[in-house]
Amino acid sequence: MGAGITQVTSLSSRQHDDVVLPGKDVLPGKDVLPGKDVLPGKDVLPGEDVLPVLPVLRGLLPAGGLLRGSVVAAGRWSMLCLALAAGASVDGAWCAVAGLPQLGVRAAADAGLDSGRLLLIADPGTGWPQVVASLLDGFEIVLLRPPERPSAQLRRRVEAAVRRHGSVLVVAGDWDGAQVRLHIARQEWTGIGVGHGRLRARRVEVVADGRGAWARPRTRWLWLPGPDGSVTAAADWVVGAGSADGAGGSNSAWTDHRGAVAVSGAG
């Protein structure tokens, strides 16, 4: 796997801590990153050119899913990255996450990822392009937050590895040349009253665009997450009166069909 991997954590289905930080004694090896006889890699979904996504995301992606050999840029790190990988994970795909030590495993499980098919690399180090290329050979989906903005030459090398292995690279951040780009344009948290309350769910406006026929932006409102932690379509909302802070601030108050108050703002 190369010297770039310094810390690796493999999760079982019984591990659901809010945050996983790899221990100092975890070193790469056959007990941490099994061979392809254990990780089926591209054989998980044989013959498929598109990896499935959650139903609420299908209208935002070409062919209704994640095209093998493509790069998807998902804006700054958020639950949207996890939601993009959840559908394929449920369908049996293996997923690796690199450069996101703050990943909430419970949130990932609530979003739909199978934690038993999830591997975390907290810090891929300065050799992260080689680490990512190796992960693409064994995992169908790789979530990455690059430690730095890659040069055009470096980006082309990573994209070549994505195409060669037929995997999907989901980038938490910007990636010039990505086939599809998604970002959260607006968000509304529910549960907060006038100066009090508890955050219960988040309603977001997701905007997607890309190349060719996908250059025209597509927009969808989602619960990300909903009150139960899942990702579903958001509907049946009515605009409330006044501002959320009661003092004419920039945030606006909303009320859903269950009577919960939401705070609206850009995010």
Side-chain angles (χ1 to χ4, degrees):
M1 296 293 292
I5 298 182
T6 56
Q7 296 179 342
V8 178
T9 297
S10 180
L11 304 178
S12 71
S13 58
R14 295 185 295 274
Q15 292 176 294
H16 293 289
D17 296 332
D18 288 334
V19 178
V20 170
L21 294 177
K24 294 182 180 179
D25 298 330
V26 180
L27 298 175
K30 64 179 180 179
D31 294 330
V32 178
L33 187 59
K36 287 193 175 181
D37 56 330
V38 179
L39 295 182
K42 291 182 289 185
D43 296 332
V44 173
L45 300 172
E48 294 287 342
D49 292 328
V50 180
L51 296 178
V53 294
L54 298 175
V56 293
L57 297 176
R58 291 172 185 165
L60 294 171
L61 296 166
L66 299 172
L67 292 171
R68 287 183 179 273
S70 69
V71 177
V72 177
R76 64 184 183 182
W77 165 243
S78 71
M79 194 176 175
L80 179 59
C81 299
L82 297 177
L84 285 167
S89 177
V90 170
D91 211 51
W94 287 81
C95 178
V97 182
L100 290 161
Q102 77 277 34
L103 173 68
V105 179
R106 182 170 297 171
D110 289 342
L113 271 78
D114 181 355
S115 59
R117 295 178 178 269
L118 182 65
L119 183 137
L120 305 182
I121 301 175
D123 181 8
T126 57
W128 66 267
Q130 292 77 20
V131 173
V132 171
S134 297
L135 292 173
L136 291 167
D137 186 27
F139 293 81
E140 292 197 290
I141 299 180
V142 175
L143 271 63
L144 167 70
R145 184 169 67 180
E148 57 191 8
R149 189 179 184 88
S151 65
Q153 181 180 13
L154 194 55
R155 192 181 68 246
R156 286 193 293 268
R157 285 170 50 195
V158 174
E159 292 171 354
V162 173
R163 293 190 297 270
R164 181 168 65 252
H165 298 300
S167 302
V168 176
L169 179 64
V170 178
V171 179
D174 296 327
W175 188 275
D176 294 336
Q179 282 78 10
V180 184
R181 298 180 299 270
L182 299 94
H183 71 277
I184 295 174
R186 290 187 290 171
Q187 62 179 348
E188 302 160 357
W189 287 96
T190 69
I192 296 180
V194 180
H196 62 85
R198 182 178 180 182
L199 295 177
R200 296 174 48 225
R202 183 178 66 153
R203 181 176 181 259
V204 302
E205 182 187 32
V206 179
V207 179
D209 61 17
R211 297 180 180 179
W214 223 251
R216 182 180 180 182
R218 289 163 169 76
T219 301
R220 179 160 296 182
W221 282 93
L222 307 175
W223 286 111
L224 191 69
D228 62 352
S230 63
V231 181
T232 56
D236 300 327
W237 278 66
V238 179
V239 178
S243 65
D245 58 12
S250 60
N251 289 338
S252 60
W254 299 66
T255 304
D256 68 6
H257 63 283
R258 295 164 304 187
V261 178
V263 176
S264 173

